[in-house]
Amino acid sequence: MIEIQNIDKYFGALHVLKNISLTVPRGQRLVILGPSGSGKSTLLRTINGLETIQSGSVTVDGINVHEHKSNLYKVRQLTGMVFQQFNLFNHKSVIDNITMAPIHVQKRNRKEAEAEAIVLLERVGLPEKAHAYPSQLSGGQQQRVAIARALALRPKVMLFDEPTSALDPEMIQEVLDVMKDIAHEAMTMLVVTHEIGFAKEAADRVIFMDNGLIIEDAATSEFFSNPKSERTRQFLSKIL
Ligand code: ADP
Ligand code: MG
C-alpha cells in the first residue's frame, strides 16, 4: 500500500529524513515510536504530500505522491490524517466538518454524505453531536469527530500523528478505543504515538526512529520483548 524508497528530507541545512525506506503492506497496522524531533511527523507528512522530499520516492496504492500535482490530489483522497491538534473548522457544525470534503472535493451527493456521516458518528460514539459545534465538545469528542471526518473520505490509509498527545488523561482511552476499532477492520494504519498499550494491542509492527533514521523495525511482540538496538532499549526504559 505504501512504498517509501530512499527518501531524504531537508529543512534548510537540517537533514531530517536520512535515506529512509519503508514498505507497508495493505492492511498493516504500524506504530512509529521515537523521541521528539526524530522525524516521525515529517515522515508521515511525506506520505500524503504535506511535505516535499529532496530525493527518493513515495507511492501510495501505486500513485507516486511527489511526481505530479494531480497525483497529490489523488493521494489526499486515499489517505485520512488525524493530527495532535484536532484541526476542526470551528465555525462549522460537526456534520458539516465531516461532509465538507466528501461533498465539495469528492463531489458526492449531499444526502448520501450526510447519511454516511451519521453512521460514522455512531461509530465514534457521538450520534447526538451532529449539529453541535466543535467549541461545545470536549477534546476527546473533537478528536473523535476528526477521526470520523478522516474516515468520511473512505480512505485506504489512515495516518495518525500523536492523536492523543493534546488530550486530558481521562479522554485518551475513548480516542484509543475508536482507533482500535478501526485497527480491527484491517485498515492500513500508521500511528505515531507514545501509547505503548495501544501499540501492543493494535499494531502488527513497530518501528523506532531516531535522528532521521529507522533504528529498529520489528513485529510488535518481538519489538517489545527483544529490542535489538541499545537506543531502542533506552527509549523504552524511559517511557514504560
Ligand atoms: P517528531 O515528529 O519526531 O517530533 P518532526 O518530524 O516534527 O519530529 O521534526 C524533525 C525535525 O525537523 C526537528 O528537528 C524539527 O525541529 C524539524 N522541523 C520540522 N518541521 C520543520 C519546518 N517546517 N521547518 C523547519 N524545521 C522543521
Ligand atoms: Mg511529531
Side-chain angles (χ1 to χ4, degrees), residues 95-109:
I95 193 151
D96 285 347
N97 265 281
I98 296 173
T99 56
M100 207 173 338
I103 293 170
H104 297 290
V105 182
Q106 294 182 326
K107 308 296 179 199
R108 276 157 54 193
N109 171 280

Side-chain angles (χ1 to χ4, degrees), residues 178-191:
V178 168
M179 292 166 61
K180 283 179 203 164
D181 176 57
I182 297 167
H184 285 145
E185 301 208 337
M187 169 75 85
T188 308
M189 286 171 86
L190 279 69
V191 183

Side-chain angles (χ1 to χ4, degrees), residues 37 40-42 84 161-162 192:
K40 306 180 299 295
S41 295
T42 307
Q84 181 172 341
D161 193 359
E162 299 201 36
V192 175

Side-chain angles (χ1 to χ4, degrees), residues 76-215:
R76 298 260 171 90
Q77 312 297 304
L78 293 177
T79 54
M81 186 155 184
V82 177
F83 302 87
Q84 181 172 341
Q85 299 299 339
F86 329 120
N87 293 355
L88 296 175
F89 294 102
N90 287 319
H91 58 291
K92 295 213 180 272
S93 67
V94 163
I95 193 151
D96 285 347
N97 265 281
I98 296 173
T99 56
M100 207 173 338
I103 293 170
H104 297 290
V105 182
Q106 294 182 326
K107 308 296 179 199
R108 276 157 54 193
N109 171 280
R110 175 178 292 274
K111 278 222 159 59
E112 176 202 298
E114 288 181 348
E116 198 168 311
I118 298 295
V119 171
L120 287 168
L121 280 172
E122 280 163 6
R123 187 162 168 201
V124 302
L126 296 169
E128 73 288 1
K129 298 295 186 188
H131 300 288
Y133 282 80
S135 62
Q136 298 169 314
L137 304 180
S138 71
Q141 290 172 331
Q142 289 188 54
Q143 193 60 304
R144 287 186 280 151
V145 171
I147 293 171
R149 182 178 61 173
L151 289 172
L153 292 167
R154 299 178 179 164
K156 293 189 174 176
V157 175
M158 284 286 285
L159 307 174
F160 292 88
D161 193 359
E162 299 201 36
T164 60
S165 295
L167 296 175
D168 291 336
E170 73 271 23
M171 293 171 187
I172 291 175
Q173 199 54 48
E174 67 193 45
V175 172
L176 293 178
D177 285 345
V178 168
M179 292 166 61
K180 283 179 203 164
D181 176 57
I182 297 167
H184 285 145
E185 301 208 337
M187 169 75 85
T188 308
M189 286 171 86
L190 279 69
V191 183
V192 175
T193 186
H194 300 297
E195 295 291 335
I196 299 304
F198 172 83
K200 287 182 172 171
E201 203 174 319
D204 305 298
R205 175 184 178 192
V206 181
I207 65 175
F208 174 71
M209 288 184 70
D210 192 24
N211 198 19
L213 297 166
I214 296 173
I215 302 284

Side-chain angles (χ1 to χ4, degrees), residues 12-84:
L14 190 65
H15 199 179
V16 173
L17 298 176
K18 299 173 180 166
N19 193 32
I20 294 234
S21 296
L22 178 69
T23 301
V24 183
R26 191 176 301 271
Q28 187 166 74
R29 284 89 26 123
L30 173 72
V31 159
I32 303 172
L33 297 179
S36 179
S38 55
K40 306 180 299 295
S41 295
T42 307
L43 179 64
L44 274 197
R45 292 162 61 87
T46 63
I47 293 170
N48 63 358
L50 287 177
E51 297 289 355
T52 59
I53 52 178
Q54 276 73 48
S55 58
S57 67
V58 179
T59 62
V60 177
D61 203 24
I63 300 165
N64 187 323
V65 181
H66 301 271
E67 196 175 48
H68 293 297
K69 269 244 155 60
S70 61
N71 287 9
L72 199 59
Y73 177 83
K74 286 184 208 154
V75 165
R76 298 260 171 90
Q77 312 297 304
L78 293 177
T79 54
M81 186 155 184
V82 177
F83 302 87
Q84 181 172 341

